[in-house]
Amino acid sequence: MNEKEVFMNGIKDVEMKSNWIRHVDTKFNILHILRSKKDLYKLLDNIEQYYKDMLITPPGPIDEKQSDDGEEFDKNHYGRYSQDFTGWHIKHAGGVINRVQCTSVLDVGCGMGSMVRGFLKNNVDIRGIDISNYSIDNCNKEIHKLVSHADIRKVDTLPKIKFDLVTCYNVLEHVSDPDIAIYNISNLTDKWIHTTVRDIRCLYPEDIQIFDPTLITGRSIKWWIGEFEKEGFDLVFDIDYTWLIFEPRFALMVTGCPVFQALFRKREGNEAV
């Protein structure tokens, strides 16, 4: 029996037996076995209950402070992650563009600009912003004029125009005041948001310090979804662009770290997505 079959047998009817999470590899999108957003929310509630049942001290919100100038996002920080620009970035950008039919994109927390380059190769109007002076100053010369310094928490530093699509990949868990960040992201588009966020609450604190001390904000996946929906964006249940996986590195107890990628569409009246 493979990992997917084990997991599917373990949570039929979405009655979450959370210890089954340990059998899931990082390529398995759990949404493949769910039927609706209602099923997803039930699954997420059961994960929270698992934490409460299994841990002596259930993980609460993590709220550490972020610098005002992004000085922690320096050469050492970016050395922890691959900065290679590959065909994956071009393919990913192309897929999202085709899905939402956008012509303008803003990448929030663009870092060294790999996704900006991916969108550029797909011939859309792309801009990138980041709080890190290091990343902006050292990005590829191909996109040097397309990226700029900005703090997603501070409106006066942000673009004054709106975009068809705002992307924000693996950024929000690095940002203090996440509700303010999401509010500002939501005001940069009237159409689409595509984001990836990790629930770092189930990581060992000492491992966070070793792996990446800039991981400072921890919330449940359901909380992140709720904040975007509060700002008028509905989660799109599309398994190609919305997925939930469990990253096993630095996992607390038997679960992996929940990683959620989500496509949100601006709500129009009472229209359901």
Side-chain angles (χ1 to χ4, degrees):
M1 184 179 294
N2 63 33
E3 290 174 336
K4 181 175 179 179
E5 290 171 335
V6 168
F7 189 82
M8 291 175 70
N9 288 336
I11 60 167
K12 285 181 178 178
D13 300 321
V14 203
E15 291 299 328
M16 183 61 184
K17 307 298 183 183
S18 293
N19 59 321
W20 288 102
I21 294 172
R22 78 181 84 180
H23 296 288
V24 183
D25 67 28
T26 59
K27 295 181 181 179
F28 176 39
N29 177 9
I30 295 171
L31 268 67
H32 277 286
I33 63 172
L34 304 179
R35 297 180 295 273
S36 65
K37 286 190 286 185
K38 182 179 179 180
D39 285 349
L40 172 62
Y41 295 150
K42 186 174 182 181
L43 179 72
L44 294 174
D45 283 340
N46 284 325
I47 292 172
E48 289 300 302
Q49 187 60 49
Y50 169 77
Y51 290 149
K52 293 177 183 177
D53 292 344
M54 295 298 293
L55 302 179
I56 296 175
T57 304
I62 297 175
D63 288 295
E64 302 295 337
K65 294 298 181 182
Q66 177 186 2
S67 71
D68 288 330
D69 57 7
E71 63 181 5
E72 63 268 42
F73 301 103
D74 55 12
K75 183 177 181 180
N76 289 332
H77 169 78
Y78 285 102
R80 295 187 178 96
Y81 302 95
S82 171
Q83 303 303 324
D84 293 340
F85 173 63
T86 68
W88 179 90
H89 296 95
I90 300 173
K91 182 178 179 181
H92 174 79
V96 178
I97 291 167
N98 289 333
R99 173 62 177 83
V100 305
Q101 294 296 297
C102 64
T103 59
S104 61
V105 182
L106 175 67
D107 187 29
V108 173
C110 64
M112 302 294 284
S114 294
M115 279 312 311
V116 173
R117 294 177 70 187
F119 280 106
L120 181 64
K121 297 296 185 183
N122 280 277
N123 301 311
V124 294
D125 179 10
I126 174 68
R127 299 290 183 273
I129 58 173
D130 202 286
I131 194 174
S132 169
N133 285 313
Y134 175 83
S135 68
I136 299 301
D137 292 343
N138 291 277
C139 68
N140 186 276
K141 63 181 181 180
E142 180 182 27
I143 60 169
H144 186 70
K145 294 183 179 180
L146 301 178
V147 297
S148 59
H149 179 269
D151 185 340
I152 193 58
R153 301 167 300 171
K154 299 177 181 178
V155 175
D156 60 323
T157 71
L158 302 178
K160 308 307 179 187
I161 61 174
K162 296 201 174 190
F163 299 81
D164 293 340
L165 168 68
V166 174
T167 60
C168 183
Y169 299 131
N170 298 314
V171 172
L172 291 170
E173 58 268 46
H174 298 271
V175 179
S176 59
D177 303 311
D179 52 338
I180 295 174
I182 291 173
Y183 175 82
N184 289 337
I185 289 171
S186 300
N187 283 319
L188 288 166
T189 179
D190 288 327
K191 296 183 179 180
W192 298 93
I193 295 170
H194 199 219
T195 186
T196 308
V197 65
R198 291 165 286 185
D199 178 1
I200 67 168
R201 298 173 307 142
C202 62
L203 304 182
Y204 287 114
E206 57 268 29
D207 285 331
I208 291 177
Q209 291 302 309
I210 296 171
F211 176 60
D212 186 351
T214 69
L215 292 169
I216 59 172
T217 295
R219 298 288 191 279
S220 69
I221 299 301
K222 193 171 182 180
W223 185 92
W224 293 110
I225 296 171
E227 285 299 298
F228 282 103
E229 293 197 328
K230 185 172 72 174
E231 300 303 335
F233 286 81
D234 288 320
L235 178 68
V236 179
F237 199 83
D238 180 333
I239 61 174
D240 290 324
Y241 298 99
T242 296
W243 45 253
L244 176 64
I245 62 175
F246 286 82
E247 168 58 62
R249 292 179 301 169
F250 313 110
L252 187 61
M253 299 295 287
V254 298
T255 70
C257 173
V259 183
F260 191 61
Q261 183 168 107
L263 181 64
F264 291 96
R265 187 175 71 183
K266 182 72 173 181
R267 188 179 308 125
E268 297 179 5
N270 294 320
E271 178 188 3
V273 175

